[in-house]
Amino acid sequence: MSAHVEGALGAPSRESALLMADARVGLGGPGQKWLPVRWLYDEVGSALFEAIAYLPEYGLTRADERILRSHARALAARLSRGVMVAELGSGSGRKTRWVLEALARQSAVRYHPIDVSAAALARCRVELGEVARVEIATHESDYLEGLSAVAGERGDEDLLVLFVGSTIGNFERAAADDFLAAVRGVLRPGDALLLGTDLVKEVPRMLAAYDDAAGVTAAFNRNLLVRINRELLADFDPRRFDHEVRWDAGSRRIEMHLRSRGAQRIAIRAAELEIRFRDGETIWTESSHKYRPDEPAKLALRAGFRCAAQWSDAEWPFAESLLVAV
Ligand code: AVJ
């Protein structure tokens, strides 16, 4: 629990060392400042994301859960009995419960959540630890490494990989292609991937989802600066950065930025780095790509899957696509 704090005071933790390297690359140069999205999710960031899922403006997580809940049985019916389940990103486990329960009605299930965050895995174990006929084995690693380990452990049974919540939206489009191809590379024909994608909607609705009235998403975004202060001994004043949300129509993505109020210099002591901001200059902290309904199937084909089924939500356009490795 205290690893991050220890990282700041004593020898840097492994995570802090990686954050430092990313800060050097993303903040040190002359171009657009940016940081990889994963740094948003420390303990506070993860808790804020869970709060975001309750915001009236942010329907994504609830839509994802509604679809999984309503179609879990239809999904289970399309899969072979005794399927092994791996999930990329363990989330809170809440929406996964529906899928696991439906599968466990058919036969016992082994569930392998994969996440870089030990805290997220611990919460997942609490949430899903006592679902009848479900056995959990957690993997603290990145997605592809964890998935290879899971694939290496199985015998004859098929594998179902869950990649829901529109986490894929964080990838650039070319990187999403590469990632799905890499996932396919670990799978055997007949294995399945359930892919959740948030769909394109009216622009004001998408903007509001990332700029809610209560300011929870702004806090989620600014928490990144607080984290860097703590782990890398930096002196960001989060009040001097505005939460900014943009819709890029060309790439069909929402972007989150932190926009400097005035020119400022920030010291990142642990990295022996000084960063200058011009007035209005931003750090690009996240991209959330939005998909057209036919895009997941096309993406699937390019990566070596066929789309066997797609379910969507009427209230909040979101799609869950069942992709089968060919
Ligand atoms: C968890 C990546 C799907 O991009 O919508 C929510 C994260 N960022 N509000 C998203 C997020 C700001 C979320 N994903």
Side-chain angles (χ1 to χ4, degrees):
M1 280 291 125
S2 59
H4 297 319
V5 178
E6 280 162 15
L9 300 175
S13 70
R14 210 174 88 96
E15 283 289 278
S16 296
L18 294 172
L19 172 58
M20 192 188 297
D22 284 349
R24 282 218 168 85
V25 173
L27 306 178
Q32 168 68 60
K33 294 178 169 50
W34 69 286
L35 285 166
V37 70
R38 62 173 289 204
W39 303 115
L40 290 169
Y41 297 90
D42 63 353
E43 298 237 300
V44 174
S46 300
L48 287 169
F49 176 65
E50 278 180 36
I52 286 172
Y54 292 96
L55 296 169
E57 296 96 331
Y58 190 82
L60 188 156
T61 309
R62 293 185 300 276
D64 190 28
E65 191 187 347
R66 271 195 305 276
I67 301 170
L68 293 178
R69 184 180 181 172
S70 344
H71 301 287
R73 279 187 171 221
L75 168 69
R78 285 174 171 275
L79 300 169
S80 60
R81 290 170 60 92
V83 71
M84 195 154 129
V85 181
E87 180 161 21
L88 309 181
S90 65
S92 77
R94 241 182 64 190
K95 44 198 180 178
T96 309
R97 171 182 293 268
W98 303 108
V99 176
L100 295 179
E101 283 179 353
L103 290 171
R105 259 185 223 113
Q106 300 182 164
S107 62
V109 178
R110 259 180 87 76
Y111 170 55
H112 298 260
I114 301 163
D115 207 298
V116 286
S117 157
L121 291 169
R123 271 204 310 280
C124 184
R125 241 180 274 123
V126 169
E127 185 76 27
L128 297 170
E130 22 63 273
V131 180
R133 303 226 289 168
V134 174
E135 202 189 317
I136 300 197
T138 59
H139 299 259
E140 189 181 335
S141 67
D142 54 55
Y143 295 158
L144 289 171
E145 189 186 318
L147 192 57
S148 305
V150 173
E153 272 179 43
R154 55 133 165 206
D156 289 339
E157 65 271 50
D158 284 341
L159 194 56
L160 166 66
V161 180
L162 302 176
F163 193 34
V164 295
S166 202
T167 305
I168 195 166
N170 286 159
F171 290 73
E172 298 298 311
R173 286 179 199 274
D177 271 34
D178 293 346
F179 182 73
L180 283 205
V183 168
R184 174 62 190 86
V186 178
L187 303 182
R188 296 195 297 230
D191 288 338
L193 169 65
L194 187 69
L195 180 69
T197 46
D198 198 24
L199 300 178
V200 176
K201 342 179 200 303
E202 311 79 73
V203 173
R205 203 172 170 203
M206 291 188 287
L207 289 171
Y210 293 84
D211 197 8
D212 62 280
V216 183
T217 310
F220 174 67
N221 199 6
R222 284 199 189 91
N223 176 59
L224 180 58
L225 302 179
V226 181
R227 177 181 193 170
I228 294 172
N229 285 349
R230 184 178 65 239
E231 292 189 36
L232 302 182
L233 310 175
D235 60 0
F236 282 105
D237 178 355
R239 289 170 200 78
R240 292 197 61 194
F241 285 84
D242 288 322
H243 171 62
E244 189 175 279
V245 177
R246 304 177 188 165
W247 169 249
D248 180 319
S251 306
R252 296 189 307 287
R253 68 177 173 229
I254 289 286
E255 296 178 4
M256 280 202 324
H257 292 256
L258 289 161
R259 187 174 199 272
S260 178
R261 290 198 182 187
Q264 43 184 329
R265 287 172 183 225
I266 306 297
I268 303 186
R269 259 167 59 212
E272 291 177 1
L273 200 68
E274 195 192 57
I275 307 165
R276 292 154 186 258
F277 285 88
R278 285 173 273 108
D279 180 31
E281 189 176 358
T282 71
I283 309 175
W284 186 356
T285 54
E286 184 185 57
S287 298
S288 299
H289 291 78
K290 305 302 171 187
Y291 288 81
R292 295 182 182 133
D294 62 329
E295 280 182 312
K298 290 181 177 162
L299 179 60
L301 271 178
R302 292 194 298 270
F305 295 91
R306 67 182 170 84
C307 184
Q310 188 180 72
W311 298 283
S312 46
D313 189 74
E315 230 177 283
W316 179 276
F318 188 96
E320 222 75 73
S321 307
L322 179 62
L323 313 178
V324 177
V326 289

